[in-house]
Amino acid sequence: MPRQEPSLLVSIHDVSPKFEGKVDRLADLVSRDMPAPHYAMLVVPDHWGDSPIRAGTPFASRLRAWSDAGVDMFVHGWFHLDRSEHDGALAKFKAKRMTAGEGEFLGLDHDTARARMADGRKLIEDIIGRPAVGFIAPAWLYGDDAMRALGEEGFALAEDHIKVWRPATGEVVAKGPVITWASRSRWRIASSLAVAAVARAALPRRPWMRLAVHPGDTNVPALTDSIARTVASLSRGARFARYSELLPAAGA
């Protein structure tokens, strides 16, 4: 069986009217060497409850245009804000240390999680006129109830820090840690820059590699420089791919 050419998946998180200008900057940054817009957008229906996406607005028209151009669209939670009370040491650790209060689906009960998934899907699919490629929880954090709801809701793809999988079957279709950046503190910035530098120098070329960027990255010139260098480095000897390539084949 021939060896698969290394493929790079790029995603822009937290796509919302609140960050429209920053999303534009990120799209320009990651697509400089792409022959077409081979990246994904993770769309938040109402970021923090104060930036709702509404059909018929200019931003909704932009989502449709991006999708028509070939950008893969994911549902990315609903509020991107964690208001849950967490039980257990592990959940509390994830909620506090792995995100800045944005792990929306970490502590939701099953019914609430499924309702937000369904509502987000309907909103986004009605706007773009085609199925969403999948669902990715804010901060890549899923509680047990959210995982159960995800399997029931019928999304074709989902993703966490280490893999992409098909919720209907549990089949893992891409493995490996996602390379990302964090801008909310000096030590997180320094850590992000260090990890990206190691990835550029030493990351083995895998069948599927993933890179994710966030609007806050544009606030720190060192991060945007690192992102540009990392995209260029990882795409050398690889190809830009779309998440939609991981979808089940029609009729499969």
Side-chain angles (χ1 to χ4, degrees):
M1 184 175 179
R3 186 175 179 180
Q4 180 182 325
E5 178 185 11
S7 300
L8 178 61
L9 296 166
V10 179
S11 59
I12 300 173
H13 285 226
D14 306 349
V15 174
S16 161
K18 182 185 292 187
F19 305 122
E20 185 171 2
K22 294 180 179 182
V23 168
D24 284 336
R25 288 183 61 192
L26 290 172
D28 289 342
L29 183 66
V30 301
S31 65
R32 288 174 181 171
D33 297 320
M34 292 181 182
H38 283 43
Y39 55 86
M41 286 184 166
L42 279 57
V43 184
V44 183
D46 187 5
H47 193 277
W48 281 47
D50 60 14
S51 294
I53 298 173
R54 295 189 174 94
T57 62
F59 189 80
S61 297
R62 296 205 69 197
L63 286 179
R64 178 65 177 257
W66 279 318
S67 180
D68 287 347
V71 174
D72 286 334
M73 294 290 175
F74 282 86
V75 182
H76 192 41
W78 183 268
F79 294 118
H80 209 291
L81 179 64
D82 180 10
R83 295 191 176 107
S84 301
E85 293 293 331
H86 296 281
D87 296 323
L90 181 58
K92 290 178 180 178
F93 173 83
K94 289 180 178 180
K96 185 175 181 179
R97 299 298 182 187
M98 296 181 69
T99 181
E102 295 191 304
E104 179 184 4
F105 280 73
L106 181 60
L108 292 182
D109 64 82
H110 168 270
D111 291 348
T112 303
R114 186 165 183 183
R116 291 188 190 181
M117 290 176 186
D119 289 347
R121 181 179 198 165
K122 184 179 189 310
L123 173 73
I124 292 166
E125 291 184 350
D126 284 352
I127 287 172
I128 66 176
R130 55 176 54 86
V133 174
F135 176 89
I136 299 174
W140 294 286
L141 294 175
Y142 305 79
D144 291 341
D145 281 353
M147 285 293 287
R148 184 159 59 94
L150 182 61
E152 297 166 353
E153 193 52 37
F155 285 101
L157 292 178
E159 177 185 80
D160 62 17
H161 286 91
I162 61 171
K163 65 184 181 298
V164 182
W165 76 96
R166 296 174 181 167
T169 63
E171 179 188 4
V172 175
V173 291
K175 286 184 178 179
V178 63
I179 300 167
T180 191
W181 289 260
S183 60
R184 67 181 187 269
S185 68
R186 288 184 179 180
W187 76 264
R188 285 185 171 87
I189 291 171
S191 176
S192 298
L193 294 174
V195 169
V198 170
R200 292 193 300 270
L203 183 72
R205 290 300 187 261
R206 306 172 63 93
W208 297 98
M209 300 175 289
R210 291 180 294 147
L211 185 153
V213 297
H214 295 78
D217 299 338
T218 64
N219 297 329
V220 184
L223 293 183
T224 54
D225 176 69
S226 176
I227 290 167
R229 293 171 63 192
T230 305
V231 171
S233 176
L234 295 188
S235 63
R236 197 172 301 123
R239 69 185 184 94
F240 291 107
R242 290 186 172 100
Y243 278 84
S244 52
E245 296 174 31
L246 299 170
L247 294 170

